[in-house]
Amino acid sequence: MRAAAARPPLLDPCHGRIDRLSERTSAELWRVERLHDDLWPGITRAALRTCQMFLRRPGRYLMLVPAECSCPGCEIADDVAIARDALETVLHRLSPRARVELGRVVGRLDAELWRRTLPDPNAWRNPWRAHGRWWHQRLYERQ
């Protein structure tokens, strides 16, 4: 006779609740990150951290920095626009309740990102930036 499978924990014991999010939303994020092939465990936490660290930089205006390495982990850690893409993907996969909760956190980051970065008047010349979301159309340090 086979033993019954143990129920998985609601939260990853190594990560737990994400700052400013309820335990319920953190648990849903944990599940969503593991269900979809284009996400990986901890992507939401990494993307939020990238955005927060970028916005902690000194100066009135900030310029985005492109990732030097194209692997997903490095891109999210280095390029705030890629991190914001990841948050957008996660937001679309959440239940309405969790989407609203994470959306509040992301909304505050977006407002600060919009305020502290400048639009790139030449973004339309680069196909991957021209049709992307507004955060891809901000000025980068180097192209």
Side-chain angles (χ1 to χ4, degrees):
M1 180 183 260
R2 250 177 140 175
R7 262 181 93 171
L10 285 178
L11 295 174
D12 180 350
C14 297
H15 298 298
R17 190 175 68 82
I18 295 176
D19 189 35
R20 295 188 179 90
L21 296 179
S22 70
E23 196 169 311
R24 182 178 183 166
T25 296
S26 295
E28 185 173 338
L29 284 167
W30 186 78
R31 285 189 301 272
V32 165
E33 290 171 348
R34 283 152 183 81
L35 283 175
H36 298 279
D37 292 337
D38 58 338
L39 302 175
W40 41 267
I43 193 170
T44 306
R45 184 185 300 273
L48 287 170
R49 183 175 28 247
T50 297
C51 293
Q52 292 164 346
M53 296 304 292
F54 177 79
L55 293 170
R56 285 186 186 140
R57 292 172 50 194
R60 181 174 179 191
Y61 293 110
L62 304 174
M63 294 178 74
L64 280 63
V65 180
E68 292 182 19
C69 176
S70 62
C71 72
C74 291
E75 278 189 325
I76 286 177
D78 295 342
D79 189 337
V80 72
I82 301 295
R84 184 56 185 82
D85 284 341
L87 291 171
E88 193 69 14
T89 299
V90 170
L91 279 165
H92 288 293
R93 305 257 169 86
L94 295 174
S95 68
R97 183 179 191 164
R99 186 178 312 126
V100 167
E101 191 174 336
L102 179 59
R104 282 190 202 115
V105 173
V106 172
R108 286 191 292 271
L109 293 171
D110 279 352
E112 186 72 4
L113 187 62
W114 179 268
R115 187 180 71 77
R116 295 195 57 208
T117 59
L118 299 170
D120 183 352
N122 295 313
W124 62 273
R125 293 180 184 193
N126 190 327
W128 68 269
R129 293 180 63 209
H131 301 293
R133 305 229 182 221
W134 66 265
W135 49 85
H136 282 285
Q137 298 173 6
R138 309 309 275 181
L139 280 174
Y140 274 81
E141 282 184 3
R142 58 191 189 288
Q143 304 293 329

